[in-house]
Amino acid sequence: MTAVIYDHDRKQIATDSRLTRNGQITSDSSIKYIESGGRVYFFSGSVSDMARSVEILDSSINGDVAGIKSPVDSGVIFYDKGNAFLAGICDDGAVWEEELFCNMGNGSGSQWALAALDHDKTAKQAIKYAATKDAYTGGLTRVFDVIKGRFIRG
């Protein structure tokens, strides 16, 4: 899995880069986000479902989801036009999205990251803390500034 966290106070989304398979670390430099149509999607769950999830979510913008019956295994927090959203895809292909007005997390390490935010840690510090508790969270931490619409360097 992974950890994706939205820090509402600082308006930042952060994610780790650990990739695992069958309990084994296969990469600590995986990219767990996709930029598409002005949005940036951050994923937890199956990496193989990331592209399909974006295809379905992008289609929902135009109302083109009729007949999509492709369950995907991924949690999504995304950026669009200066705001952060939580999204999901139901088994019947229906898409739901909601703007976030509080801290939110997805993935196996998210509960640890959310706890760190509760103790005034930044999004980056929260992901790093989650990596000390969750075996499926680790590697590089990438942070996206929702207000500026870009990744934070360093």
Side-chain angles (χ1 to χ4, degrees):
M1 269 302 241
T2 196
V4 178
I5 196 81
Y6 171 61
D7 178 348
H8 183 66
D9 291 340
R10 294 176 183 89
K11 306 289 190 264
Q12 295 178 347
I13 301 169
T15 187
D16 73 316
S17 63
R18 177 159 290 167
L19 189 62
T20 61
R21 180 169 173 85
N22 298 325
Q24 178 181 345
I25 298 168
T26 57
S27 174
D28 265 345
S29 58
S30 178
I31 295 174
K32 296 184 177 180
Y33 65 88
I34 294 176
E35 298 180 55
S36 177
R39 291 177 163 189
V40 183
Y41 298 97
F42 298 85
F43 292 91
S44 64
S46 176
V47 173
S48 63
D49 285 340
M50 287 173 48
R52 181 68 178 138
S53 295
V54 169
E55 179 184 342
I56 293 168
L57 292 166
D58 279 352
S59 294
S60 74
I61 295 170
N62 302 320
D64 297 332
V65 293
I68 294 175
K69 295 203 186 309
S70 176
V72 293
D73 176 25
S74 61
V76 183
I77 292 177
F78 72 91
Y79 157 85
D80 187 25
K81 299 178 186 130
N83 295 302
F85 296 83
L86 182 65
I89 303 165
C90 301
D91 287 341
D92 65 357
V95 173
W96 59 267
E97 299 175 357
E98 64 180 275
E99 188 172 350
L100 293 174
F101 297 101
C102 61
N103 294 339
M104 183 60 64
N106 271 334
S108 59
S110 64
Q111 74 275 17
W112 298 107
L114 285 168
L117 290 181
D118 287 344
H119 292 276
D120 297 322
K121 300 298 182 189
T122 66
K124 183 173 185 172
Q125 291 169 329
I127 294 292
K128 289 191 175 295
Y129 175 69
T132 70
K133 299 293 184 185
D134 176 46
Y136 300 100
T137 300
L140 304 171
T141 302
R142 295 182 173 95
V143 182
F144 186 86
D145 186 309
V146 171
I147 300 299
K148 294 179 181 175
R150 63 179 172 83
F151 284 92
I152 297 171
R153 303 283 180 222

